[in-house]
Amino acid sequence: DGTITITNPQGGYGTYQYSVDGGTYWQPMGTFSNLMPGTYDVRIRDAANPACVIILDPAVIITQPDALSASLQKTDVTCYGANDGTITITNPSGGYGIYEYSINGGGSWQYSASFSNLAPGTYQAMIRDASDITCVYAIPDALIITEPDELNALVAGTNITCLGAGDGTITISSPAGGYGTYEYTINGGGSWQSSGIFTGLGPGSYNVQMRDALSPHCTRVLMS
């Protein structure tokens, strides 16, 4: 889509023809559009005397920017329902050096390459040249943000056998969800342990919770 425009023609008998291919093709207007990158031999001639030709510039160079390109990074949702996934578009190149970014297939654009607070789903990342927004590159392969299953487990307890014995137990079993490693508490998060078995308990009420060891902020109250 390059252009060459010849302006302010003078001399001759007042009507002109123009060429950008060294005189092979002539036209009465001085504007040439839809040009490919390359070198152009630009000339003008007197329409009343076609033998009268002047070379205006034998080597007008039309350039083009490099092809747009970019890479992707993502983080998945840390906890069921958290909607904290991220996508970052990295290493943008090509075009004229200023970019806009989209992760919804071009439905909306922003100057920042970082997108946060994302829900699980499929995203189509794109970049475009801010100097020419018709120049768009869709980064190959749709990007999938996942989330872990909701945390869950079974809770069972045994009562104290005898007054003052202090031998009650709580057992948390069959943990599921999250990213597969867990920690447990029976005091509402005051302390945590990797084992789901608690022994030597006195009488009382216990706030039983589990959390994802890879995402400690992801907790679930199992019994309170």
Side-chain angles (χ1 to χ4, degrees):
D1 59 357
T3 65
I4 292 174
T5 304
I6 305 165
T7 60
N8 301 317
Q10 300 175 21
Y13 287 97
T15 56
Y16 309 98
Q17 293 177 324
Y18 309 91
S19 174
V20 294
D21 62 3
T24 300
Y25 169 78
W26 295 88
Q27 67 178 40
M29 294 179 295
T31 299
F32 295 81
S33 58
N34 301 318
L35 300 180
M36 299 290 289
T39 301
Y40 294 85
D41 182 339
V42 182
R43 304 184 180 198
I44 182 174
R45 74 181 179 184
D46 189 333
N49 185 10
C52 185
V53 177
I54 292 295
I55 299 175
L56 298 174
D57 191 327
V60 174
I61 299 174
I62 297 290
T63 64
Q64 69 176 352
D66 292 336
L68 292 172
S69 181
S71 303
L72 290 174
Q73 295 178 347
K74 72 157 185 172
T75 60
D76 291 318
V77 174
T78 59
C79 183
Y80 179 81
N83 293 345
D84 59 357
T86 69
I87 292 174
T88 304
I89 303 173
T90 61
N91 303 316
S93 63
Y96 287 100
I98 302 175
Y99 309 101
E100 294 178 324
Y101 306 90
S102 173
I103 58 169
N104 59 5
S108 59
W109 296 87
Q110 64 181 45
Y111 281 103
S112 172
S114 298
F115 298 82
S116 57
N117 301 319
L118 301 180
T122 301
Y123 296 85
Q124 176 61 66
M126 307 175 78
I127 70 170
R128 70 182 182 187
D129 191 332
S131 299
D132 183 353
I133 60 174
T134 64
C135 187
V136 178
Y137 172 65
I139 301 172
D141 302 325
L143 192 63
I144 299 175
I145 296 289
T146 65
E147 73 175 349
D149 291 335
E150 187 174 15
L151 293 173
N152 199 11
L154 300 177
V155 180
T158 60
N159 291 322
I160 296 170
T161 58
C162 182
L163 178 67
D167 59 356
T169 68
I170 292 175
T171 302
I172 305 167
S173 61
S174 302
Y179 286 100
T181 56
Y182 310 99
E183 293 178 325
Y184 309 92
T185 181
I186 58 171
N187 60 6
S191 60
W192 296 85
Q193 65 180 45
S194 58
S195 170
I197 299 174
F198 296 83
T199 61
L201 302 180
S205 297
Y206 293 86
N207 185 324
V208 182
Q209 301 183 29
M210 66 182 295
R211 72 182 181 185
D212 189 331
L214 293 179
S215 299
H217 67 282
C218 183
T219 64
R220 183 173 183 186
V221 177
L222 301 173
M223 185 175 293
S224 62

